[in-house]
Amino acid sequence: MTFDVHALDEFVLVGSAVTLFAILAVRVSTRAGLPSLLIYLLMGVALGEAGVGIQFEDAAAAHALGFAALAVILAEGGLTTNWREARPSMRLGVSLATVGIVVSVTVVAVVAHYVLGLPWELAVLLGAVCSPTDAAAVFSVLRVVPLPRRLTGALEAESGLNDAPTVVLVTLVSTGAVGDHPPVVVAGLVLGELALGVVCGLAAGFGGAWLMRRAALPTAGLYPLAVLSLAFLGYGAAAALHGSGFAAVYVAALVLGNSDLPHRGATRSFAEGVAWLAQIGLFVMLGLLLSPGRITLSTVGMALAAGLVLTLVARPISVAVSALVQPMSWRELTFLSWAGLRGAVPIVLTTIPLAEGIDGSERLFDLVFVMVVVFTLLTGPTLPWVARVLRVARRSEPRDLDVEAAPLERVAADLLQVTISPRSLMHGVEVGELRLPPGASVSLVIRGGETLVPERRTVLRSGDHLLVVTPRRQREQTERRLRQVSRGGRLAQWLGPAR
């Protein structure tokens, strides 16, 4: 076996160019409110057999690489999710990821069989691969849409956990094992693997947090690698015990990301960068796997019909049933129904039957690919508008006060960079009138390019940039107090808490 250096050089050239183009495309997709996956998928199609001519037809490799990329994306999602914000909505998120999946798969499968004429095997597979929401799409889009915490928490928890049961179901159907057991046993297997994955994730998370607090690594760059390795340790342990690796890696990362560990800021930044790289590689690879010549008008019509059923029938019913454990207003439930973003997950899941050689699996892959592209274009850009129409959007914070944070790891504190906008009622307030929590203080004011160390009687002005140091345990209370003053002025304490 010889090593082709020239082939490696070409791979590095093309790979770096594609990655740089994909990174620049993030700005375009963010402005348009689109998940960047669409651009990456189309890049893959352009590089494939219908464009540049790169041949890629290895479904088994796509399956393995796709699962690895999804694990990285879930790890990043867990590390960057705030448990305090997600906890109140966790019941609904778990319900959407379990009960909601069952309802959605059932509705789509029944319609696909009796209306679209698909055989039961393909109908169930279609329902299973299309029902889970996509973590990458949810994390990238919803975090720039100003929503109440209970909505973002529920959607993020759902997208982090719903891959686990659907992977088990798709695998059982694709291997023919589902026909060997009654539905009750299949449901027990799915729930059992999910529970085992959660247990492995908790063990890896809490055990890893205990270890990291006592480890003295020689350089800060090793801490992000160690944290991600611990999350993947949970994945590997769960998979070895026949549990859900996806549930394990998300739960482990969630615990680690919300633990008081050294260099948390650097760890999260590193995880975000690795997750972006995984998304780029995953979506470009899935685009390469598509053969545009196979797509017919019949495929497009069936994809549109299945997408309409999923979006307008299955998703609303599954949300309504899931919300029985945590009732919400009809406006919030309607938004949750519309915000069921699909992305790479459905396409990756279709590689399972494709790798198993199931009859009709290529048609299923093409159908799901078209459906994901069309309905991501439909739902992604409209989310801010839908949130405003339903009146579930909260006011965007930067209108009054722009707050950014940087960690001060050695002293367990955070440095808040605060910008006072022209709309802020903090204009004219003295530093002493802020009445920040104990231990928090304004350390520096930057005004007109000049810096000054403030005193209690220093008057704040619009356009000022403040550096506020706060103990980490007081950060949330400090931010809340700053926003109260920004919206209520010096009378904020008598006007009620900031929303």
Side-chain angles (χ1 to χ4, degrees):
M1 181 177 179
T2 59
F3 185 77
D4 192 341
V5 177
H6 296 293
L8 176 62
D9 293 341
E10 292 177 1
F11 175 80
V12 171
L13 176 62
V14 174
S16 58
V18 169
T19 303
L20 286 172
F21 182 83
I23 292 172
L24 295 175
V26 173
R27 183 175 181 87
V28 177
S29 64
T30 301
R31 284 186 172 184
L34 291 171
S36 51
L37 67 93
L38 289 180
I39 297 177
Y40 303 157
L41 285 172
L42 295 178
M43 286 173 59
V45 173
L47 291 170
E49 61 182 50
V52 176
I54 298 177
Q55 298 292 325
F56 180 72
E57 299 178 353
D58 193 338
H63 175 203
L65 294 173
F67 272 39
L70 287 180
V72 172
I73 294 167
L74 287 173
E76 184 269 338
L79 287 172
T80 55
T81 294
N82 189 320
W83 173 247
R84 290 181 181 177
E85 297 181 3
R87 182 179 179 181
S89 305
M90 188 55 65
R91 279 186 301 163
L92 179 56
V94 173
S95 181
L96 286 168
T98 53
V99 176
I101 288 293
V102 173
V103 174
S104 181
V105 170
T106 302
V107 172
V108 174
V110 169
V111 174
H113 177 69
Y114 288 107
V115 178
L116 301 181
L118 292 179
W120 270 118
E121 185 180 42
L122 287 182
V124 174
L125 284 173
L126 177 63
V129 301
C130 293
S131 293
T133 54
D134 182 72
V138 170
F139 295 147
S140 63
V141 173
L142 290 185
R143 287 179 179 174
V144 298
V145 179
L147 294 173
R149 293 177 179 178
R150 60 182 175 273
L151 289 181
T152 56
L155 287 166
E156 289 184 350
E158 176 195 11
S159 64
L161 294 172
N162 63 10
D163 295 345
T166 50
V167 167
V168 178
L169 179 58
V170 173
T171 303
L172 290 174
V173 175
S174 299
T175 58
V178 71
D180 300 332
H181 306 287
V184 175
V185 175
V186 173
L189 289 172
V190 172
L191 293 177
E193 291 201 16
L194 180 61
L196 183 57
V198 171
V199 170
C200 290
L202 290 173
F206 285 111
W210 179 87
L211 178 64
M212 293 297 294
R213 282 193 291 265
R214 288 158 178 79
L217 299 179
T219 176
L222 293 176
Y223 283 91
L225 291 175
V227 170
L228 280 180
S229 297
L230 287 167
F232 281 99
L233 181 64
Y235 181 99
L241 296 173
H242 302 288
S244 171
F246 287 136
V249 72
Y250 179 74
V251 171
L254 184 64
V255 173
L256 290 166
N258 287 273
S259 300
D260 190 13
L261 301 179
H263 305 289
R264 290 195 307 173
T267 298
R268 291 178 179 177
S269 297
F270 178 78
E272 288 177 354
V274 174
W276 274 112
L277 185 60
Q279 289 183 49
I280 293 170
L282 172 61
F283 299 139
V284 171
M285 178 194 68
L286 293 175
L288 284 171
L289 195 60
L290 178 72
S291 296
R294 292 199 310 255
I295 298 178
T296 62
L297 289 177
S298 174
T299 301
V300 174
M302 190 171 293
L304 294 177
L308 288 173
V309 171
L310 178 67
T311 304
L312 302 180
V313 182
R315 175 68 179 178
I317 294 175
S318 65
V319 168
V321 174
S322 301
L324 293 176
V325 302
Q326 190 173 350
M328 289 186 173
S329 68
W330 70 268
R331 297 179 185 276
E332 292 171 322
L333 294 180
T334 302
F335 182 82
L336 285 175
S337 300
W338 189 250
L341 296 173
R342 272 74 189 177
V345 170
I347 305 175
V348 170
L349 290 179
T350 58
T351 64
I352 300 177
L354 202 61
E356 294 290 336
I358 300 297
D359 290 339
S361 56
E362 288 186 349
R363 182 186 182 194
L364 178 68
F365 179 89
D366 298 339
L367 189 156
V368 171
F369 194 103
V370 173
M371 187 184 71
V372 166
V373 171
V374 171
F375 285 88
T376 301
L377 281 171
L378 175 65
T379 57
T382 60
L383 280 177
W385 177 79
V386 171
R388 289 194 299 270
V389 169
L390 293 174
R391 296 202 293 273
V392 298
R394 60 177 172 82
R395 183 169 52 180
S396 181
E397 305 290 8
R399 293 181 184 177
D400 302 320
L401 203 69
D402 189 4
V403 180
E404 297 182 3
L408 302 174
E409 298 292 353
R410 293 184 181 274
V411 292
D414 286 325
L415 179 66
L416 305 182
Q417 304 174 54
V418 181
T419 301
I420 303 176
S421 78
R423 299 174 58 92
S424 175
L425 296 183
M426 195 178 288
H427 174 83
V429 175
E430 296 180 1
V431 169
E433 293 174 320
L434 293 177
R435 289 188 285 276
L436 299 176
S441 64
V442 180
S443 60
L444 198 67
V445 175
I446 303 173
R447 178 179 298 163
E450 299 183 357
T451 60
L452 60 98
V453 178
E455 301 176 352
R456 288 185 56 84
R457 300 300 301 272
T458 300
V459 179
L460 302 175
R461 304 295 182 191
S462 296
D464 283 355
H465 303 280
L466 316 181
L467 296 183
V468 180
V469 178
T470 174
R472 185 161 294 149
R473 65 180 182 278
Q474 300 280 17
R475 173 181 165 180
E476 186 175 355
Q477 186 179 353
T478 301
E479 287 195 40
R480 184 163 57 246
R481 176 58 187 167
L482 289 169
R483 297 194 191 284
Q484 285 177 346
V485 178
S486 181
R487 293 173 182 173
R490 54 174 53 89
L491 299 178
Q493 70 182 89
W494 290 281
L495 296 178
R499 292 181 295 175

